[in-house]
Amino acid sequence: MQTEKVEEEDDAPEEYVALCDFTASGSEQLSFITGDKLLVHNKSSADWWWAELQGVIGYVPASYLRLDGAEEGDDASLEDPWQDDEYFGSYGTLRLHLEMLSDRSRTETYRQVIVSNSASLRDKVVMDLGCGTGIISMFCAQLAKPSMVYAVEASSMAEHTRQLVKQNGCEEVVTVLQGRAEELELPEQVDILVSEWMGNCLLFEFMVESVLLARDRWLRDGGVMWPSSAALALVPCQADSYYTETMAFWERPYGLDFTPLQPLAQQEFFTKPKFSHLIDPEDCLCAPCDVICLNMYTVQVRDLEVSNGLLYYKRPQFLSVYLLILMEHSFISQEMTGEFQFCVEKPGIFHGFTAWFTVQFESLEMGGATVELNTGPNSDPTHWKQTLFMLDRPIQVYAGDSIHGNIVLRRNPVWRRHMTVALHWTINSNTDDSQANISLHYTSIFINVLLFSWLLFTSSLHL
Ligand code: GJV
């Protein structure tokens, strides 16, 4: 009935087909399964559309849908789920390389790794995957004595990198290969695979997939991965100024009541992560916790989007194969999950969660120390800064309260460089002030679908 009202408007609803399953989080959203046909009434934003399924209406993530009747190949935008033209196009210009090279914490960490392992790098074959302007390859050539460095770069920057390598007298050792690492042909296996592949929230861009494929194909048995491990860290935090700027602002601007705009503000500012957020360590409500950890030697591409249930790993021997297949099927979920358990250390306003990553480079020297790049609030700022996920509404918390839950990273089934981040959490509080020993229990879920390149979100960091 509501539908008809909408239909009277100028734009007739269009029929879309679901490309994969979607589970709603919150009453505003609509769940559907692969193949469902949905009527899209309103493309309210680039990411979320207002759609109908069997008489029920709600928000749906636009990227999960394809126009009905369009063959996969018909839709030009579906031709390249990796968006390589746009992606490598951006890396073909200087802007992003300037940003990365100006990030001293990042660049100096890689230099430190080379310097502190220079003895072990002697006569080794190195691959620098996604070398950009070739900085890591040139560090290798100048600070150690590898026999060969293959500097692999898919963007047109590779042409300039070749020139830089020559200009800096590294051409004897560094060979620049222009092309996607996936299509690479090398005359030999490599001893060390080094790459700076990390995106926002560690995984955005999913360049890690290219690194894992190169590892499986080109790293010799017993070869070394740099980084050797990576982790996504999370902390509950205050974000008072962002809250004030985007939400409290509408309370009484110029003496007028603008509060009817607050739900809109909530939808616009809080349903997507805020990238490039620099959190003050004072705003962390407790110590951070690693929610996702990747061992770069063992992680598989499929682990980036599928998690297996416990039974998959602990197969009871006595069950029949048939039963096992059923059980494995029911325990495999199309997502990566991590658990967290925080104990609030000081009273404050819980506005959201902040995420960042760390990566570790194991030492090749006897007794050598692991080098770490930490992009968190207690380390020097990097161009990644941190990522803020705002709650629907702030919550007062007290020392001793516990916040536990999980984070779900669901790789976009269509756009391979993107993912959805959902946080599910519960607070248990036993404060005896106003609530007089009542144990408070809040649960919230929010979900952020990201369809756009992180490139749109990076802003320069002047270090
Ligand atoms: N093959 C070759 N070069 C690549 C590939 C690939 N599969 N993927 C990315 N690059 N840390 N978030 C290049 C890309 O063109 C750019 O120069 C660099 O790797 C990205 C490194 C920084 N991005 C990041």
Side-chain angles (χ1 to χ4, degrees):
M1 298 123 280
Q2 281 219 331
T3 341
E4 273 154 24
K5 247 196 244 156
V6 184
E7 270 169 332
E8 280 160 23
E9 288 173 11
D10 284 345
D11 296 333
E14 290 176 297
E15 198 170 50
Y16 279 74
V17 183
L19 293 163
C20 57
D21 300 357
F22 172 73
T23 310
S25 37
S27 55
E28 293 254 280
Q29 297 177 5
L30 189 62
S31 298
F32 52 80
I33 56 167
T34 316
D36 272 349
K37 296 200 172 185
L38 293 101
L39 273 184
V40 173
H41 289 286
N42 192 331
K43 297 184 176 172
S44 350
S45 74
D47 313 331
W48 291 98
W49 292 348
W50 188 240
E52 180 192 346
L53 175 66
Q54 290 154 5
V56 185
I57 288 199
Y59 281 107
V60 295
S63 67
Y64 285 49
L65 307 179
R66 173 161 52 85
L67 202 53
D68 193 20
E71 288 300 312
E72 291 222 356
D74 288 356
D75 188 345
S77 60
L78 278 183
E79 267 166 22
D80 181 14
W82 284 87
Q83 299 164 289
D84 275 357
D85 287 349
E86 184 197 345
Y87 182 75
F88 292 123
S90 326
Y91 282 117
T93 65
L94 279 185
R95 189 176 69 86
L96 291 170
H97 296 286
L98 179 61
E99 185 173 24
M100 294 187 288
L101 292 169
S102 312
D103 178 346
R104 297 196 74 85
S105 316
R106 161 203 180 265
T107 312
E108 293 290 359
T109 302
Y110 277 83
R111 193 210 321 245
Q112 176 62 34
V113 173
I114 308 303
V115 169
S116 59
N117 287 283
S118 62
S120 303
L121 278 166
R122 198 182 179 94
D123 298 328
K124 295 290 195 301
V125 178
V126 179
M127 183 198 301
D128 174 6
L129 197 163
C131 69
T133 51
I135 187 83
I136 301 173
S137 297
M138 288 191 275
F139 285 159
C140 288
Q142 295 201 332
L143 305 169
K145 291 198 164 47
S147 62
M148 170 63 86
V149 180
Y150 294 109
V152 184
E153 173 55 47
S155 78
S156 59
M157 190 51 59
E159 295 152 34
H160 304 289
T161 306
R162 224 168 255 138
Q163 192 188 351
L164 295 177
V165 163
K166 205 158 176 212
Q167 188 80 15
N168 290 282
C170 300
E171 75 272 31
E172 300 272 281
V173 178
V174 179
T175 303
V176 178
L177 300 167
Q178 181 169 6
R180 280 193 63 139
E182 289 81 345
E183 282 129 41
L184 188 65
E185 288 304 333
L186 291 181
E188 58 189 330
Q189 301 272 97
V190 304
D191 301 298
I192 291 142
L193 172 47
V194 60
S195 180
E196 192 275 83
W197 53 263
M198 301 78 70
N200 282 315
C201 278
L202 185 64
L203 292 173
F204 275 105
E205 286 176 61
F206 282 89
M207 183 179 163
V208 65
E209 176 165 328
S210 308
V211 173
L212 300 182
L213 295 173
R215 175 197 69 190
D216 294 346
R217 189 147 173 235
W218 296 111
L219 188 68
R220 73 160 170 79
D221 273 354
V224 170
M225 294 292 289
W226 277 338
S228 324
S229 58
L232 181 68
L234 195 72
V235 74
C237 66
Q238 308 195 111
D240 196 51
S241 35
Y242 187 60
Y243 184 82
T244 306
E245 282 161 26
T246 54
M247 190 56 73
F249 175 86
W250 306 106
E251 274 159 26
R252 226 161 167 78
Y254 305 98
L256 297 168
D257 182 358
F258 271 50
T259 51
L261 295 185
Q262 281 183 326
L264 212 59
Q266 199 275 326
Q267 175 69 21
E268 195 166 327
F269 302 112
F270 296 174
T271 60
K272 286 177 193 158
K274 178 178 182 272
F275 292 112
S276 292
H277 177 70
L278 268 182
I279 185 186
D280 181 340
E282 286 295 304
D283 281 334
C284 297
L285 293 165
C286 55
C289 154
D290 283 346
V291 285
I292 301 276
C293 295
L294 302 183
N295 175 334
M296 292 303 292
Y297 292 94
T298 55
V299 65
Q300 300 295 315
V301 172
R302 85 182 228 116
D303 299 334
L304 304 174
E305 43 201 321
V306 172
S307 44
N308 299 303
L310 206 59
L311 286 175
Y312 183 78
Y313 293 109
K314 293 188 178 169
R315 287 176 177 211
Q317 297 296 316
F318 52 86
L319 289 174
S320 73
V321 173
Y322 174 71
L323 206 58
L324 271 177
I325 291 169
L326 271 181
M327 290 170 77
E328 283 181 13
H329 186 74
S330 58
F331 277 79
I332 292 173
S333 54
Q334 301 290 317
E335 56 204 18
M336 248 182 141
T337 55
E339 308 286 315
F340 54 79
Q341 168 88 56
F342 297 107
C343 181
V344 175
E345 287 163 14
K346 55 184 179 192
I349 310 289
F350 176 28
H351 281 112
F353 291 94
T354 294
W356 64 86
F357 67 82
T358 62
V359 288
Q360 295 74 35
F361 302 82
E362 67 173 316
S363 174
L364 308 185
E365 318 272 326
M366 279 283 273
T370 299
V371 175
E372 181 172 81
L373 171 61
N374 187 327
T375 64
N378 293 306
S379 302
D380 290 338
T382 67
H383 75 287
W384 289 280
K385 302 182 191 166
Q386 289 98 36
T387 306
L388 172 65
F389 298 89
M390 292 293 278
L391 307 188
D392 294 353
R393 60 197 162 85
I395 296 166
Q396 173 74 51
V397 289
Y398 301 93
D401 287 359
S402 98
I403 302 174
H404 68 271
N406 63 26
I407 182 168
V408 177
L409 308 180
R410 188 175 296 177
R411 191 168 176 188
N412 191 293
V414 180
W415 304 108
R416 306 306 283 154
R417 296 197 184 276
H418 305 280
M419 65 182 172
T420 295
V421 179
L423 287 146
H424 309 248
W425 50 271
T426 300
I427 303 177
N428 286 306
S429 174
N430 290 301
T431 47
D432 58 4
D433 64 336
S434 58
Q435 302 294 327
N437 282 325
I438 296 169
S439 176
L440 302 175
H441 191 86
Y442 306 92
T443 305
S444 180
I445 298 172
F446 59 92
I447 194 159
N448 300 277
V449 174
L450 293 134
L451 307 166
F452 23 71
S453 162
W454 73 283
L455 305 174
L456 300 175
F457 289 96
T458 53
S459 60
S460 312
L461 177 66
H462 302 285
L463 296 167

